[in-house]
Amino acid sequence: MATTDASVQTRRRSNEIKRHGAEAFAAMRKAGRLVAEGLDMIAAHVKPGVTTAALDRLMFDFAMDHGAYPATLNYRGYRYSICTSINHVVCHGQPDEKPLREGDIINIDYTLIVDGWHGDSSRMYAVGQLARKSERLCEITHESLMRGIEAVKPGAHMGDIGHAIQSYAEGERCSVVRDFCGHGLGQLFHDAPNILHYGVRGEGPRMEPGMLFTIEPMINLGKPHVKVLGDGWTAVTRDRSLSAQFEHTVGVTDTGVEIFTLSPAGFDYPIGKA
């Protein structure tokens, strides 16, 4: 049976970073794989003339067809199954009836509740042919994510993740958004710890086996500053520069890291298509 977010919101976030066992990891693999399959499915539908509202309906139907529930739907008043962030939208863009245009880049952020556990991932998708600057930004953002994930291992510090992301992205003359961060998750949608995408190596809590969290850097071609629009959700770059984001849900293992949301079809990159 699909679980609504209403039951999840009755649980409270704490500042304690939870450590989970084998059963939780198995549940996260199931949730993460379904999210990845949904993001694989939608790739064929992202093209000029399609509306983000249509994409949202497809992703809702996918969840219903697979016994899952979109975690964002009715979460703190949010009314959609996905977030759709286009061009200069940094995150939390809301689906609407405006058609996608040739050359747009769009981030689709999808979280499903599967048997009470959350899988959370996002990818960039190309709408038709891209300008090189758009393509380059997506490449840098994906590489930033993967470098952050490579820093995850027992005994390492949370700051190592942010340092890996920041040092690479800024070395490519891009900026890292500081207003939003990754987060712990599991049976809660948002839990401790916060995962910053900038930072200093050797600072922050130490990672331990069993920790679950997202890494989801938002990288801008221009300055890092953002503002939230009047709808209370949509965050955009203040200088109207392009922004991109990739996200995976990961778990700290005894020897390193497990990525729960890798694409079964190999669509993780480039930008949503094999």
Side-chain angles (χ1 to χ4, degrees), residues 30-41:
K30 182 177 179 181
R33 182 179 177 89
L34 190 61
V35 165
E37 289 174 351
L39 291 171
D40 287 350
M41 177 276 295

Side-chain angles (χ1 to χ4, degrees), residues 66-138:
H66 290 84
Y69 192 84
T72 56
L73 187 58
N74 299 318
Y75 178 77
R76 296 181 179 176
Y78 192 81
R79 298 182 292 120
Y80 305 98
S81 299
I82 55 176
C83 298
T84 51
S85 301
I86 303 169
N87 295 334
H88 72 288
V89 178
V90 174
C91 62
H92 303 157
Q94 299 185 75
D96 59 26
E97 297 294 342
K98 184 178 179 180
L100 295 170
R101 299 180 299 175
E102 182 82 17
D104 284 342
I105 54 173
I106 177 174
N107 177 273
I108 298 179
D109 193 341
Y110 195 37
T111 306
L112 291 178
I113 306 171
V114 181
D115 300 331
W117 293 84
H118 291 74
D120 188 0
S121 185
S122 79
R123 298 181 203 161
M124 297 303 297
Y125 297 81
V127 184
Q129 295 297 312
L130 296 186
R132 177 55 190 152
K133 67 177 182 178
S134 301
E135 189 174 52
R136 176 177 174 271
L137 175 62
C138 293

